[in-house]
Amino acid sequence: MERIVVLGGGESGCGSAVLARVKGFDVFLSDRGSIAPKYKSLLEQWNIPYEEETHTEEKILSADRIVKSPGIPDKAPMVQAAVKRGIPIISEIEFSAPYLTASTICITGSNGKTTTTTLTYEILKQAGVKVGLAGNIGESLALSVATNHYDWYVIELSSFQLDGCYTFRTDIGVLMNITPDHLDRYDYKLQNYIDSKFRILQNQRPEDRFIYCADDPLTIKNLPNHPLPMRVLPFSVKKEEGCAAVLHDGVICVSLDGKQVNVPAAEMKIKGIHNIYNAMAASLAALSAGVDPKSIEQTLRSFAGIEHRLEPCGTIDGVDYINDSKATNVDSVWYALESMTRPVVWIAGGTDKGNDYSQLYDLVKEKVKTLVCMGVDNSKLKTAFAGRIEHIVDTHSLDEAMTAARQYAQAGETVLLSPACASFDLFKNYEDRGRQFKAWVAAHKS
């Protein structure tokens, strides 16, 4: 019996362990940290042996294959030890691939992938398609494959998940954009990160689809480096020729095989140029999956967005508070600031991932009156914007940051949490950061 060892006891790892159990493998899970109670319960429910707060080398290196959770870097000592032994190391997505009976829409990119994935899923769901949501959001793909049956999956894929894919193939692949992110995981080499994102193309056939942004410089620059046997469907807000989705006189126009989707951008609840791109990509994916155009248009008009992405949280003394905690890189913050229509008190900071803030300078000059830095070490952020913003405040907790933001914001203005950084210096994750922000606003509303 083949032995599968799973490294990591979170959503991805535990889902992989359940799938391994369902498929009859000898399975063992190991996590160097602690495993959350809900995941322990899942492992015990399926009678899966596991360990936490340690890695037992002899148990791990006895594996025929290792399924590695995406949060574990390749440089981790146990991963390196397995590589030296010649043990194949794959991702949860790769492990799930042979057992997939559903068609797949897989969405990746530096920014916009969560909104696009959720919107695509909602379009298919509202159209009556038996569809699952999986990957980097929702339930792990492995657990869903083990316990459900769908006709389609909409899957958000991070670069970390793609890195461990070799035979996996998607029917409809979507690449939203590529901007510098997670460079600390890619030896601070942008090309390594770019190559990771382009793994969304691997193994696609002529009958498959590849949807991409024709306005994204790094995507366009790197397309010639990859074979494109599949049908390509570019989208753009800057040009119309050769694109399957365009913005014409303020109307999102999507056309595929004689079917058309037409929705004025002003009629969507989600605002900003980034959401126009998201809507174009989701519409092309849904049309490719056979959804009726009228159903797509209806969901585009009704979709209200996702938690932690430009999420309105309330108003205090005439000041709007917006939670954009999911903006963990510079490009995502650019889109957030671009969508602001009122003077901004901007809360940013956290664990820097090799950010270059220069692309924000023009927008910051136009939109931001005060920068509230929130992190253990704010030196890089303060240096980047010194002399460019009238007021820069140094804070080291959420309560300090919120108190400062309230002090500087006046009626008719906006407090925007859009950090440009990871959250791990002060928070468990970006969700924890966003929920603490929302809780503070809720506690101080009159």
Side-chain angles (χ1 to χ4, degrees):
M1 181 185 298
E2 184 177 1
R3 178 169 171 82
I4 300 293
V5 171
V6 178
L7 293 182
E11 180 69 33
S12 176
C14 290
S16 298
V18 171
L19 180 59
R21 169 66 76 216
V22 167
K23 296 304 177 182
F25 293 106
D26 173 20
V27 59
F28 174 73
L29 183 144
S30 177
D31 195 313
R32 194 178 66 175
S34 60
I35 300 175
K38 70 173 182 178
Y39 293 125
K40 285 184 186 179
S41 177
L42 180 66
L43 293 170
E44 290 161 4
Q45 175 189 341
W46 288 91
N47 196 29
I48 296 167
Y50 67 89
E51 64 180 3
E52 61 179 329
E53 298 182 352
T54 189
H55 281 325
T56 304
E57 186 169 313
E58 58 267 27
K59 291 183 178 181
I60 294 170
L61 298 184
S62 64
D64 295 299
R65 281 187 292 168
I66 290 176
V67 181
K68 179 176 74 68
S69 295
I72 301 173
D74 292 340
K75 294 179 180 179
M78 191 53 64
V79 175
Q80 289 295 304
V83 169
K84 288 180 181 178
R85 288 281 186 96
I87 302 171
I89 300 173
I90 60 175
S91 71
E92 169 221 341
I93 306 300
E94 177 75 3
F95 183 56
S96 304
Y99 311 110
L100 270 171
T101 57
S103 300
T104 60
I105 299 171
C106 292
I107 299 165
T108 194
S110 301
N111 299 293
K113 59 184 178 292
T114 300
T115 299
T116 304
T117 300
T118 307
L119 176 55
T120 305
Y121 167 75
E122 287 297 330
I123 291 172
L124 268 66
K125 182 181 177 183
Q126 295 301 322
V129 178
K130 192 174 182 182
V131 58
L133 177 68
N136 209 35
I137 58 173
E139 190 174 59
S140 74
L141 180 63
L143 183 60
S144 188
V145 169
T147 58
N148 294 298
H149 177 76
Y150 294 108
D151 296 326
W152 280 90
Y153 277 105
V154 182
I155 305 168
E156 179 185 324
L157 291 180
S158 69
S159 57
F160 302 160
Q161 290 169 311
L162 287 166
D163 287 337
C165 289
Y166 305 97
T167 63
F168 177 77
R169 175 194 60 80
T170 182
D171 299 281
I172 302 169
V174 181
L175 176 56
M176 295 303 298
N177 47 59
I178 304 174
T179 60
D181 199 4
H182 302 298
L183 297 187
D184 50 332
R185 280 282 291 263
Y186 292 96
D187 297 325
Y188 293 94
K189 296 177 181 176
L190 178 58
Q191 191 60 50
N192 291 348
Y193 175 65
I194 292 169
D195 293 343
S196 177
K197 287 299 186 187
F198 267 93
R199 292 175 75 92
I200 194 78
L201 297 178
Q202 64 186 359
N203 305 314
Q204 281 202 298
R205 309 161 300 179
E207 60 266 37
D208 298 326
R209 311 287 176 92
F210 173 48
I211 298 165
Y212 69 92
C213 180
D215 299 338
D216 184 62
L218 287 176
T219 299
I220 299 305
K221 180 181 178 181
N222 285 271
L223 273 178
N225 301 332
H226 300 272
L228 300 172
M230 74 298 290
R231 185 174 180 184
V232 296
L233 300 172
F235 58 93
S236 171
V237 303
K238 298 179 179 179
K239 60 183 180 180
E240 297 190 13
E241 186 176 355
C243 291
V246 301
L247 185 67
H248 182 77
D249 291 338
V251 178
I252 298 170
C253 303
V254 186
S255 181
L256 182 64
D257 297 332
K259 296 181 178 180
Q260 294 188 341
V261 171
N262 296 286
V263 175
E267 294 182 7
M268 294 198 307
K269 291 183 178 179
I270 51 176
K271 306 298 182 183
I273 193 71
H274 59 295
N275 279 318
I276 293 175
Y277 283 125
N278 297 340
M280 287 178 169
S283 297
L284 282 171
L287 279 177
S288 296
V291 177
D292 179 73
K294 294 300 180 186
S295 183
I296 296 172
E297 292 174 354
Q298 182 177 349
T299 306
L300 288 184
R301 288 184 170 95
S302 63
F303 182 71
I306 63 171
E307 189 180 17
H308 309 302
R309 190 66 180 114
L310 290 172
E311 178 189 10
C313 299
T315 301
I316 302 174
D317 300 328
V319 176
D320 291 341
Y321 285 74
I322 296 179
N323 168 28
D324 196 41
S325 183
K326 200 174 189 306
T328 59
N329 60 51
V330 172
D331 197 63
S332 196
V333 174
W334 189 95
Y335 284 114
L337 290 175
E338 184 272 338
S339 70
M340 294 295 104
T341 58
R342 306 180 353 155
V344 174
V345 173
W346 173 33
I347 302 175
T351 304
D352 186 274
K353 297 186 287 185
N355 290 346
D356 176 5
Y357 294 105
S358 61
Q359 73 182 73
L360 298 177
Y361 288 165
D362 289 344
L363 265 179
V364 161
K365 182 179 179 180
E366 176 188 351
K367 307 266 189 173
V368 177
K369 57 170 282 188
T370 301
L371 168 60
V372 177
C373 303
M374 181 177 68
V376 171
D377 181 2
N378 297 314
S379 55
K380 183 176 178 180
L381 198 60
K382 291 189 294 182
T383 299
F385 293 100
R388 299 179 185 277
I389 299 175
E390 183 178 1
H391 303 291
I392 298 179
V393 187
D394 191 29
T395 71
H396 306 286
S397 71
L398 183 124
D399 190 64
E400 278 186 61
M402 299 302 287
T403 300
R406 186 174 186 182
Q407 176 186 343
Y408 280 92
Q410 299 177 357
E413 298 179 346
T414 296
V415 171
L416 171 68
L417 170 66
S418 194
C421 298
S423 56
F424 305 119
D425 58 340
L426 295 176
F427 306 93
K428 295 178 182 178
N429 46 45
Y430 77 82
E431 294 98 335
D432 177 42
R433 177 170 60 191
R435 285 167 188 156
Q436 288 195 39
F437 176 88
K438 292 195 290 182
W440 193 97
V441 174
H444 289 80
K445 285 195 294 187
S446 55

